[in-house]
Amino acid sequence: MSSEEGVRATNDDAAQCKRYAVDKGYWQDPYIKLFTSRGQQNHAPEISIGYYARVKGLRMILEKFLTVTDGKCQIVSIGAGFDTLFWNLKDAGINVTSFIEVDFSAVTSRKIHSIRRSQVLLQKITNEDEEIRFSTTDLHGKDYHLVAANLKNLKDFNKKLGECGIDKTLPTIFIAECVLVYIEKDCTDALLKWTVDNFSTVFFVNYEQVNMGDKFGEVMMENLRSRECMLHTEYCASIDTQIQRMSSQGFEGADAMEMRHVLYRLPQNDVMRIQRIEFLDEQELLEQLMSHYCYCWAYKDPNKIGLGDIGL
Ligand SMILES: C[S@@+](CC[C@H](N)C(=O)[O-])C[C@H]1O[C@@H](n2cnc3c(N)ncnc32)[C@H](O)[C@@H]1O
């Protein structure tokens, strides 16, 4: 397996874990099953709770961004994989000016294949007056775009965003869930700086590993390495290094939170509900897992529309 294949395979893992948790009732997502099978394996409840906090935490941040911008904004999901956020937002009656997903061509072509064969998915992308434009790797609908680009190549990435009709003067949120950690430091530095330099008003939310300097972190790295997947953890030492990374690339403000704390920021009646779904053998393992992932967010808001107030 090449290292790119190893990285791409993390998308299949994420999609299967989400599908498994959704089937168990952790949260609702009628679309994930249209992109992935459930798989053979049983997953530990800690994993499903981790995904629950990841999905709900992101939604919480995103909804605050949507309120501040009144939906007149763009969402750019980088390394989007088989994520279903676009369809779930539509179900909630949430429309934005433009929703753009970017991934390697081998991933986007599989996603396009799933979309093309599902009326349920297609319905949310089309409208009566406009045709969807397809190629094997790129799809352009009215307000949804799925394009292939390697995030390490900013020229290509910029060109693909241009083909989606991106407006760099419109408030834009970039979402990176478990993506930057697979890309070399110099390239992620350049990518973050590029978003700050090119967009007038921008919010960036990043989900990835943190506190990786201990034994647990070492084991996590080793597991992925054995699957040809290198983690680039220079910024994953602590919450502080995560925040500093954002500030040093020019964001005006940044903050971050370990997932074990995020769990307490979510509606507690629902957290109690999901904790009853499966028996947790060891609370300690959950704590450990959740202290090795975080959300980090950063913004540039020259017109003070309120991006600085967004957080968990
Ligand atoms: C762990 S998956 C996460 C998928 C999705 N964000 C989610 O949370 O379900 C990481 C994704 O990032 C993509 N990715 C990693 N490096 C990339 C790069 N250099 N260019 C484009 N996509 C990349 C992978 O192909 C994969 O789909």
Side-chain angles (χ1 to χ4, degrees):
M1 200 195 276
S2 73
S3 61
E4 191 187 305
E5 276 175 82
V7 171
R8 288 195 321 248
T10 62
N11 168 53
D12 290 300
D13 276 356
Q16 284 206 347
C17 289
K18 287 181 185 172
R19 164 88 197 255
Y20 184 89
V22 166
D23 286 351
K24 286 264 174 200
Y26 281 85
W27 71 95
Q28 285 185 2
D29 179 353
Y31 303 105
I32 189 72
K33 65 174 184 289
L34 301 172
F35 290 108
T36 188
S37 60
R38 180 162 164 180
Q40 301 296 318
Q41 263 180 308
N42 280 340
H43 297 237
E46 292 82 5
I47 305 280
S48 295
I49 295 175
Y51 273 92
Y52 167 85
R54 167 171 166 182
V55 169
K56 295 287 178 181
L58 178 75
R59 187 68 181 251
M60 199 175 217
I61 294 180
L62 181 62
E63 284 184 6
K64 289 179 184 170
F65 179 82
L66 294 171
T67 303
V68 164
T69 57
D70 199 19
K72 293 179 192 63
C73 63
Q74 298 163 128
I75 299 176
V76 182
S77 177
I78 57 174
F82 291 166
D83 198 50
T84 55
L85 181 61
F86 170 78
W87 290 272
N88 282 297
L89 289 179
K90 285 277 174 191
D91 277 356
I94 298 173
N95 291 296
V96 295
T97 307
S98 189
F99 192 115
I100 301 171
E101 296 191 312
V102 184
D103 210 300
F104 287 124
S105 58
V107 176
T108 60
S109 55
R110 286 176 61 204
K111 192 164 189 173
I112 288 174
H113 182 73
S114 300
I115 294 172
R116 288 189 87 149
R117 64 171 190 207
S118 164
Q119 272 312 314
V120 176
L121 295 172
L122 276 171
Q123 261 167 19
K124 297 269 192 300
I125 298 173
T126 27
N127 71 1
E128 282 149 20
D129 338 312
E130 221 174 322
E131 293 263 301
I132 307 179
R133 287 178 290 128
F134 284 110
S135 72
T136 356
T137 61
D138 294 9
L139 179 164
H140 298 282
K142 186 174 73 78
D143 53 359
Y144 174 75
H145 306 263
L146 171 58
V147 291
N150 185 338
L151 298 164
K152 296 183 197 180
N153 181 341
L154 286 179
K155 208 167 145 225
D156 192 30
F157 178 47
N158 187 37
K159 181 169 162 278
K160 284 299 177 97
L161 291 184
E163 288 171 15
C164 302
I166 198 145
D167 177 355
K168 290 175 181 163
T169 64
L170 203 61
T172 301
I173 182 167
F174 282 84
I175 298 172
E177 265 186 80
C178 269
V179 177
L180 300 186
V181 75
Y182 298 116
I183 300 175
E184 292 78 358
K185 174 182 175 294
D186 289 354
C187 297
T188 58
D189 282 352
L191 175 66
L192 289 168
K193 185 166 174 356
W194 179 86
T195 62
V196 180
D197 289 348
N198 284 273
F199 287 80
S200 328
T201 301
V202 62
F203 196 90
F204 201 106
V205 51
N206 179 35
Y207 173 88
E208 71 181 13
Q209 285 83 348
V210 73
N211 301 324
M212 288 293 279
D214 61 5
K215 186 77 200 149
F216 192 93
E218 243 174 66
V219 172
M220 214 194 276
M221 300 262 286
E222 191 42 51
N223 278 345
L224 279 153
R225 209 177 292 130
S226 69
R227 295 157 55 193
E228 295 298 331
C229 210
M230 276 294 294
L231 290 185
H232 299 277
T233 53
E234 289 88 343
Y235 293 114
C236 301
S238 67
I239 286 290
D240 285 346
T241 55
Q242 288 281 0
I243 296 173
Q244 277 159 17
R245 158 205 249 171
M246 294 298 191
S247 306
S248 65
Q249 295 316 323
F251 284 99
E252 217 176 282
D255 208 348
M257 191 183 279
E258 287 175 20
M259 293 310 287
R260 67 190 164 118
H261 301 311
V262 172
L263 206 52
Y264 293 105
R265 301 300 171 110
L266 301 174
Q268 288 304 291
N269 50 355
D270 202 46
V271 172
M272 274 152 64
R273 176 190 68 78
I274 62 118
Q275 284 178 333
R276 286 193 295 266
I277 294 178
E278 290 175 278
F279 179 68
L280 253 190
D281 243 356
E282 275 186 73
Q283 189 70 25
E284 205 185 313
L285 187 60
L286 177 67
E287 283 278 314
Q288 231 183 1
L289 184 69
M290 303 284 272
S291 64
H292 285 84
Y293 284 94
C294 71
Y295 266 116
C296 180
W297 56 94
Y299 65 92
K300 174 179 122 180
D301 185 12
N303 300 322
K304 304 274 174 274
I305 63 169
L307 300 190
D309 301 329
I310 298 175
L312 282 161

